[in-house]
């Protein structure tokens, strides 16, 4: 099964295997998020011993080109999107600014009575009717984040239909006369995703998510949205200037 | 083994068990981070069936008073420290502002030659000598974060001894004439901790950490420190205003 390599003189074998695997990744033989071949597969492919293959892979891990997931194997690192966490940063602008195609898909929506916590964030009375939007944000079809948003129904009657069309809350807000809004305090934590969130993010359940909790306010400072977002930590990092 | 409860009329049994467990937690019988008794232990203690105990525990989980860790049991939630991520926020001020005692312990230190990445962050030539400080930050003796800091040796000769005494980088910087410094861009991600970090944080390996990467600059904008920090996500949340 061994594919013949033209071993280069003066360069250690493991270094040459590392170079070859890097070339495979650069050319897309192994794409971001793909599982790399197992140690045994690489042993067969290069016709070398396990130790040599392990050294090459370990160099790729050190270089942050691949990552090892406990019990699952090695994976090609995804391109990580820098997500600036500013008062006026918008998902679609950030993604299109990176020449990637943004999309926001509504998964489900529901009308609820605001719990004490939600009511406090939205500055309404507990029990006030709020619409819950559950959505996935994507770049070039790759899911980056799953968000749950709560908005007061009284102000945003019909927003589910509008959001389904606009695929952007920023655009949907414009239909309600809100051309400008800001993000207030954001709380940031780390969690393991629920099965549902992991499945929507198309990621393993044992890879953590960065979770944020924030409130958007209109130009007058009135809360318009309380949102909880789970970002895939393999594909997004938050940036605070 | 059952301890007799004076069951209160008109309040369901599971609600009374929930109240009793809440009282136990409030009075410190079960402290933050403690493992709660198992379902079977609670069944024996209260002399009720498994279903009733489960309902009480599930109410405590919903109220965010306890959390369930897959395969390990239920734990009393730690008090979560809000850590504002501003240009001038200092760990010791944040912790003492919450009436908790800050401490920063040096675990190890080393003189290294700066890698390309570290050199870029510190704006020095690769290979420049840097000191690596590996430390644990605590509040009231509870570890909150593990940090790796890199500083140019040329400017901070002897900082290891000074930091060991001051237990604060802010104080150590003053010895080098730096009374003011700011945090530049911070990158935030989520990870599972290494065994070493989990052990220093005294937390389970399957609980994620919030990881940050940042550069501190002096008043003239010259980088003085590049740091990578892992915050226990059960005890700290980052706040961005």
């Amino acid at each position: 099964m061994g594919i013949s390599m033209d071993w280069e003189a003066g360069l250690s074998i493991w270094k040459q295997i590392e170079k070859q695997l890097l070339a495979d990744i650069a050319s897309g033989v192994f794409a971001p998020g793909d599982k790399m071949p197992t140690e045994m597969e690489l042993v067969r492919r290069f016709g070398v011993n396990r130790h040599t293959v392990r050294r090459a892979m370990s160099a790729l891990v050190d270089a942050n080109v691949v990552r090892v997931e406990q019990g699952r194997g090695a994976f090609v690192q995804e391109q990580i999107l820098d997500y600036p966490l500013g008062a006026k940063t918008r998902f679609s602008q950030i993604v299109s600014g990176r020449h990637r195609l943004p999309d926001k898909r509504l998964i489900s929506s529901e009308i609820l009575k605001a719990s004490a916590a939600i009511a406090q964030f939205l500055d309404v009375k507990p029990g006030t009717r709020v619409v819950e939007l559950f959505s996935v944000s994507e770049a070039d079809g790759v899911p980056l984040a799953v968000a749950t948003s709560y908005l007061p129904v009284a102000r945003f009657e019909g927003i589910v239909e509008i959001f389904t069309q606009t695929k952007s809350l920023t655009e949907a807000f414009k239909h309600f006369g809100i051309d400008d809004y800001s993000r207030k305090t954001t709380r940031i934590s780390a969690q393991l995703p629920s099965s549902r969130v992991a499945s929507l993010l198309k990621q393993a359940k044992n890879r953590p998510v960065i979770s944020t909790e924030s409130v958007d306010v209109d130009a007058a400072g009135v809360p318009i949205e309380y949102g909880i977002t789970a970002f895939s930590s393999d594909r997004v990092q938050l940036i605070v200037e």
Side-chain angles (χ1 to χ4, degrees), chain A:
Chain A
M1 280 278 289
I3 289 169
S4 69
M5 279 276 285
D6 286 331
W7 299 112
E8 203 175 317
L11 194 59
S12 55
I13 303 293
W14 72 266
K15 261 283 177 201
Q16 296 183 51
I17 293 176
E18 182 199 357
K19 269 180 74 177
Q20 182 56 52
L21 292 175
L22 267 177
D24 288 350
I25 290 167
S27 67
V29 173
F30 307 121
D34 275 4
K35 193 171 181 311
M36 290 293 287
T38 63
E39 238 170 58
M40 274 317 296
E41 285 163 354
L42 294 174
V43 161
R44 282 196 295 266
R45 169 173 170 191
F46 293 109
V48 296
N49 68 33
R50 220 182 169 94
H51 178 74
T52 306
V53 153
R54 202 170 288 170
R55 187 142 180 208
M57 281 300 282
S58 145
L60 293 176
V61 170
D62 288 346
N64 212 24
V65 173
V66 307
R67 66 164 184 275
V68 173
E69 295 188 12
Q70 205 61 42
R72 293 185 74 230
F75 292 79
V76 182
Q77 284 285 21
E78 285 89 353
Q79 197 189 349
I80 292 190
L81 182 84
D82 282 356
Y83 194 99
L85 213 63
K88 303 277 185 183
T89 48
R90 308 280 184 252
F91 176 78
S92 58
Q93 284 172 17
I94 293 167
V95 171
S96 45
R98 302 295 186 283
H99 308 292
R100 295 171 73 183
L101 189 68
D103 195 13
K104 205 161 182 175
R105 289 184 301 115
L106 186 67
I107 303 296
S108 66
S109 67
E110 209 175 329
I111 305 283
L112 303 169
K113 291 188 172 176
S115 68
I118 293 172
Q120 199 182 349
F121 284 116
L122 289 178
D123 198 14
V124 296
K125 286 199 181 117
T128 302
R129 289 168 74 235
V130 292
V131 55
E132 179 193 82
L133 303 175
F134 188 63
S135 64
V136 178
S137 297
E138 297 183 342
D140 290 345
V142 175
L144 298 185
V146 167
T148 311
S149 298
Y150 298 93
L151 308 96
V153 170
R155 186 158 178 185
F156 297 108
E157 193 81 53
I159 196 166
V160 174
E161 293 67 32
I162 295 168
F163 177 68
T164 307
Q165 283 162 30
T166 60
K167 295 183 162 217
S168 152
L169 264 181
T170 303
E171 293 306 313
F173 284 148
K174 289 183 183 157
H175 286 252
F176 296 92
I178 300 168
D179 290 321
D180 189 29
Y181 67 97
S182 318
R183 171 176 286 224
K184 261 177 47 181
T185 310
T186 304
R187 288 154 189 270
I188 303 164
S189 192
Q191 283 172 358
L192 290 180
S194 66
S195 302
R196 191 181 183 203
V197 167
S199 149
L200 286 167
L201 287 177
K202 294 180 187 157
Q203 72 164 50
K205 274 190 67 177
N206 65 354
R207 302 289 300 170
V209 294
I210 315 167
S211 65
T212 66
E213 217 186 351
S214 60
V215 174
D216 283 327
V217 297
D218 67 14
V222 177
I224 53 175
E225 183 210 352
Y226 163 57
I228 302 159
T229 306
F231 293 90
S232 161
S233 64
D234 292 326
R235 299 174 208 144
V236 179
Q237 62 184 358
L238 306 182
I239 309 288
V240 177
E241 302 283 346

